[in-house]
Amino acid sequence: MLKIHNYVLVILIICCNFIVFAQKSNELIINVHGRNTTSLDGEWNIIIDRYNNGYYDYRQQPTADGYALNQKPKSKSDRIEYNFDTSPTIKVPGDWNTQMKELYYYEGTVWYKKSFEYSIKKNKRLFLYFGAVNYHAIVFLNGERIGEHIGGFTPFNFEITSKVKDGENFIVVYVNNERKKEGVPTLKTDWWNYGGITRSVKLIETSKTLIQDYFIQLKKGSENEIEGWVKLNGNSNEQDISIEIPEINSISKFKTDKNGYAKVNMKINVELWSPDNPKLYEVKIKSETDIIIDKIGFRTIEVFGQDILLNGNSIFLRGMSVHEEAPYRTGRAYSEEDAKTILTWAKELGLNFLRLAHYPHNETIVRMADEMGILLWSEIPVYWVIDFKNPVTLRNALNQLTENITRDKNRACIIIWSMANETPISEFRNQFLVKLVNQTRKLDNTRLISAALEVEYPKDKFSPYVNDPFGKHLDVLSFNEYIGWYDGLPDKCKKVNWVINFDKPIVISEFGAGAKQGFYGDKDERWTEDFQEDLYIKTLQMIDKIENLRGVIPWILMDFRSPNRVLPEIQDGFNRKGIITENGKKKKAYYILKDWYKEKTEEFE
Ligand code: GCB
């Protein structure tokens, strides 16, 4: 009887799995840092499921013994062919590839299990929150499927109020990171596809009607008016709410409507946030049933002709790209320490801007950038040859974009939402990207939109131009260029004349060259630090002539893992375009850039 029951349950589980695409992103709870949470981080038991045996039997049918059930033998003759409790453990948060030698290049399924005790108080609700799981997660509580999520870099949560038991509970998560043609990203990228529960897992306990989400930022173009909204979630939607900024003695009151939604509009007099003065204010949002505190900075960001204006002043974005990789230990970065190292490097180099490539990074680094004063470019992994014709791919991209903006829209440091990287021009691609732009403007009309476009070459090859029709939808025109690396040698830079017919600020979103730290030679010898240094010198001279250049983001701050990079003794599985190694050693190009950025700082101040 028990077996039949389980069998039906597993069939149900499987049928649902592949129909439901993801959580509804409008149910995402924001500011988990400011809530009453219980951490589920730490050791989780795992089963490495190379043949998806936890789902399918030998006829490729749903199995009666699905691992989600976490069964135990009832008697000594019972046959249960798995056991989470005697299986190995790995740490959450963290990728699996760098925690077990045998998983270094593993892409597939791993089942995770964690037990926890809980006793939910009356009049409370409970949510299970994941900072990120790469790539596909199906979550079970006490053997019951509670939800599914696709996309490896954004948070999601499921309500478990009526499902959590008093006392012992267990969570099982099916995690699969196989690359898929229709996925976002798709089959091929230039970074390693770390699998696992890569960010923190939390239980969030809330009141029956909680303040789920809010948007509290300066109105576009105004330095003293907040325009935003607050959204409640629960059954007591019509409430009095207030927003307080104690430091400036500001209290404003609003009422939420029958959908739990209130528009917010308030006059304030604040010190504006900037990289030189990353001033954050404590903001208290109170309803009759909930209170949440955040630290928010206020600044304006606009484009005026060929300028980018931060708080009304023209700025030059002294940038650098970075992957979400941990300095010194490799693997997915997630911790405060990882974020601190990266942002301290950025400051030492004289940066005021980082491109978080090529997907949303963890909230810890974003919040720290807010505190330390580093402007950010945030992007989703719409990269290279996404399946632009596929509506499932579009839905996936829109969902990741929405989750990213939902999580980070109150962070002053983020000034640019980027839609895509080096995507080939076509009608389908253009329509796809325009839908992303429309969604972004709908969710947040205060920030700038960009995308890393590609450069084209006429026959003579010395007058590169950007002629992407998608450019007209962007506030900031950005493109990646590799003259001197993929295109000729660095000397070519001297002969190049850029032809960019867009009357917009230009930010070069990538340039760079690979170099093995400690390898020296002639400046025309590939892979030497001298080559990379020479390329930086000549590229910077070349781009300095572009009249509307308002920022540069060389590729890349730190060497990072990429399975495409197989050259023995030079690459060994790493893209070497970093100006700092994965172990923190600086290459010669670092100093060239640092000096140039110093000049730029003086020029723009
Ligand atoms: C690019 C990509 C980036 C690569 C880089 C490279 O254009 O945007 O993801 O890693 O070039 O090193 O080739």
Side-chain angles (χ1 to χ4, degrees):
M1 184 58 204
L2 180 77
K3 279 262 151 86
I4 292 171
H5 170 80
N6 287 346
Y7 191 73
V8 173
L9 181 68
V10 172
I11 291 180
L12 269 175
I13 287 166
I14 291 170
C15 293
C16 297
N17 282 338
F18 300 100
I19 299 166
V20 179
F21 174 70
Q23 69 167 350
K24 284 189 232 132
S25 35
N26 62 1
E27 281 168 12
L28 186 64
I29 297 175
I30 68 155
N31 186 12
V32 289
H33 294 76
R35 303 203 183 243
N36 178 13
T37 59
T38 306
S39 171
L40 294 179
D41 290 350
E43 299 291 331
W44 288 52
N45 289 97
I46 59 156
I47 297 175
I48 304 162
D49 190 6
R50 294 186 169 81
Y51 279 21
N52 274 319
N53 197 46
Y55 259 131
Y56 299 114
D57 67 12
Y58 77 127
R59 296 283 187 243
Q60 194 65 11
Q61 296 301 311
T63 174
D65 316 318
Y67 296 170
L69 300 173
N70 184 30
Q71 286 170 300
K72 307 278 176 236
K74 297 262 173 326
S75 73
K76 64 183 179 187
S77 48
D78 241 6
R79 183 183 58 81
I80 304 288
E81 295 196 45
Y82 66 95
N83 185 347
F84 274 109
D85 297 338
T86 52
S87 294
T89 62
I90 59 173
K91 283 198 175 56
V92 169
D95 64 86
W96 64 52
N97 307 93
T98 55
Q99 296 196 59
M100 282 173 90
K101 256 202 173 121
E102 62 184 295
L103 297 183
Y104 194 72
Y105 277 121
Y106 183 67
E107 293 177 289
T109 298
V110 173
W111 294 82
Y112 283 69
K113 184 239 151 195
K114 177 103 177 159
S115 295
F116 65 96
E117 298 264 333
Y118 211 81
S119 176
I120 187 166
K121 290 176 214 87
K122 253 189 150 183
N123 296 324
K124 293 287 177 194
R125 292 168 72 185
L126 196 66
F127 295 84
L128 177 57
Y129 177 93
F130 292 83
V133 178
N134 192 34
Y135 169 79
H136 181 186
I138 307 172
V139 182
F140 304 85
L141 176 69
N142 300 327
E144 186 185 345
R145 179 192 180 285
I146 56 165
E148 177 177 13
H149 184 263
I150 287 174
F153 304 98
T154 46
F156 54 96
N157 48 251
F158 304 114
E159 179 159 16
I160 56 170
T161 311
S162 59
K163 296 185 172 132
V164 68
K165 289 194 292 194
D166 228 31
E168 170 117 354
N169 293 267
F170 65 89
I171 300 169
V172 172
V173 188
Y174 159 96
V175 183
N176 180 289
N177 74 332
E178 277 161 69
R179 284 165 290 122
K180 303 225 158 44
K181 184 175 183 299
E182 73 280 10
V184 182
T186 180
L187 295 170
K188 189 152 180 184
T189 65
D190 189 27
W191 69 85
W192 171 248
N193 174 30
Y194 290 108
I197 304 182
T198 50
R199 296 183 193 152
S200 288
V201 183
K202 296 174 197 293
L203 295 167
I204 310 177
E205 197 181 88
T206 71
S207 48
K208 282 282 177 209
T209 300
L210 66 139
I211 300 166
Q212 181 205 313
D213 195 2
Y214 50 85
F215 187 44
I216 298 184
Q217 293 280 282
L218 286 180
K219 180 177 172 180
K220 196 174 177 62
S222 167
E223 294 190 351
N224 59 7
E225 188 180 349
I226 289 175
E227 193 180 62
W229 47 265
V230 173
K231 189 178 148 216
L232 306 180
N233 173 327
N235 48 19
S236 150
N237 276 336
E238 287 172 86
Q239 296 200 23
D240 290 324
I241 59 160
S242 68
I243 298 180
E244 300 178 22
I245 309 177
E247 197 179 326
I248 53 163
N249 293 321
S250 163
I251 303 185
S252 300
K253 296 190 187 298
F254 307 92
K255 274 189 196 303
T256 46
D257 64 17
K258 60 180 187 325
N259 300 313
Y261 181 86
K263 277 199 174 152
V264 164
N265 198 289
M266 54 198 272
K267 287 266 192 297
I268 52 168
N269 185 2
V270 284
E271 258 176 63
L272 296 178
W273 184 101
S274 72
D276 295 332
N277 180 32
K279 171 76 187 156
L280 300 177
Y281 287 88
E282 187 183 279
V283 177
K284 283 189 193 165
I285 304 145
K286 286 187 186 164
S287 71
E288 292 162 40
T289 53
D290 198 9
I291 169 163
I292 180 119
I293 299 176
D294 207 341
K295 282 169 96 181
I296 299 183
F298 301 99
R299 53 104 194 89
T300 63
I301 189 79
E302 291 161 287
V303 158
F304 184 72
Q306 301 187 339
D307 283 323
I308 299 173
L309 306 181
L310 176 73
N311 301 328
N313 302 316
S314 175
I315 48 161
F316 188 87
L317 299 175
R318 306 185 305 272
M320 200 78 215
S321 281
V322 64
H323 264 289
E324 193 187 39
E325 271 209 8
Y328 300 112
R329 63 177 165 80
T330 72
R332 263 284 164 262
Y334 57 80
S335 68
E336 297 242 335
E337 198 186 334
D338 298 332
K340 187 87 197 193
T341 307
I342 294 288
L343 296 176
T344 306
W345 285 353
K347 283 272 172 193
E348 282 169 4
L349 181 57
L351 307 186
N352 61 5
F353 185 56
L354 272 181
R355 172 179 179 191
L356 302 181
H358 279 303
Y359 37 75
H361 289 209
N362 60 80
E363 191 173 349
T364 305
I365 195 167
V366 177
R367 283 190 174 264
M368 206 180 277
D370 235 11
E371 275 163 23
M372 289 176 65
I374 297 279
L375 299 160
L376 296 179
W377 156 310
S378 176
E379 69 189 81
I380 50 167
V382 173
Y383 180 94
W384 290 355
V385 285
I386 294 289
D387 194 357
F388 288 109
K389 290 186 182 166
N390 190 334
V392 173
T393 307
L394 174 63
R395 211 141 61 88
N396 185 348
L398 282 167
N399 191 58
Q400 294 190 41
L401 177 77
T402 304
E403 288 170 347
N404 189 29
I405 296 176
T406 302
R407 190 194 71 180
D408 288 342
K409 63 188 173 302
N410 292 309
R411 304 284 74 84
C413 59
I414 296 192
I415 54 166
I416 293 180
W417 300 120
S418 174
M419 304 293 104
N421 181 77
E422 292 184 351
T423 52
I425 300 169
S426 76
E427 207 32 59
F428 279 106
R429 170 275 206 180
N430 299 349
Q431 286 168 12
F432 186 111
L433 297 189
V434 168
K435 287 190 178 122
L436 298 182
V437 167
N438 293 343
Q439 173 78 343
T440 305
R441 299 221 191 268
K442 193 173 105 195
L443 294 172
D444 176 9
N445 71 353
T446 69
R447 289 177 174 80
L448 308 179
I449 294 183
S450 194
L453 305 179
E454 287 186 308
V455 170
E456 293 174 63
Y457 292 93
K459 283 214 181 71
D460 76 3
K461 295 217 183 310
F462 292 109
S463 322
Y465 58 93
V466 180
N467 191 26
D468 189 327
F470 182 57
K472 67 171 179 286
H473 299 278
L474 306 178
D475 301 310
V476 173
L477 191 85
S478 300
F479 54 87
N480 300 345
E481 70 83 9
Y482 281 92
I483 294 169
W485 183 254
Y486 292 123
D487 170 18
L489 290 170
D491 264 348
K492 178 170 178 182
C493 294
K494 292 184 193 152
K495 300 189 193 145
V496 162
N497 273 316
W498 286 91
V499 187
I500 305 162
N501 293 324
F502 283 91
D503 188 28
K504 298 185 181 204
I506 289 176
V507 171
I508 295 187
S509 39
E510 286 182 28
F511 78 83
K516 169 90 172 163
Q517 185 273 328
F519 179 29
Y520 303 107
D522 288 341
K523 58 184 187 329
D524 57 0
E525 186 173 357
R526 289 255 175 195
W527 311 114
T528 60
E529 285 195 36
D530 310 77
F531 186 112
Q532 189 190 41
E533 178 190 42
D534 187 48
L535 181 132
Y536 267 66
I537 294 171
K538 290 179 177 145
T539 302
L540 295 173
Q541 284 165 356
M542 168 184 74
I543 63 180
D544 228 355
K545 294 184 213 136
I546 302 175
E547 195 201 316
N548 41 341
L549 188 75
R550 292 296 177 273
V552 185
I553 317 172
W555 187 256
I556 183 171
L557 187 62
M558 188 184 85
D559 290 346
F560 61 98
R561 268 183 71 183
S562 167
N564 300 334
R565 309 297 174 171
V566 295
L567 186 64
E569 286 164 36
I570 300 284
Q571 296 177 316
D572 300 311
F574 281 79
N575 183 316
R576 295 286 177 210
K577 295 191 188 72
I579 58 170
I580 301 179
T581 69
E582 70 277 22
N583 295 317
K585 295 205 176 96
K586 298 178 177 102
K587 305 180 193 173
K588 288 168 87 176
Y590 174 98
Y591 300 97
I592 302 297
L593 186 67
K594 187 171 177 167
D595 286 349
W596 193 74
Y597 277 158
K598 201 158 169 267
E599 284 168 29
K600 281 283 156 207
T601 315
E602 284 152 16
E603 209 178 292
F604 271 75
E605 265 166 17

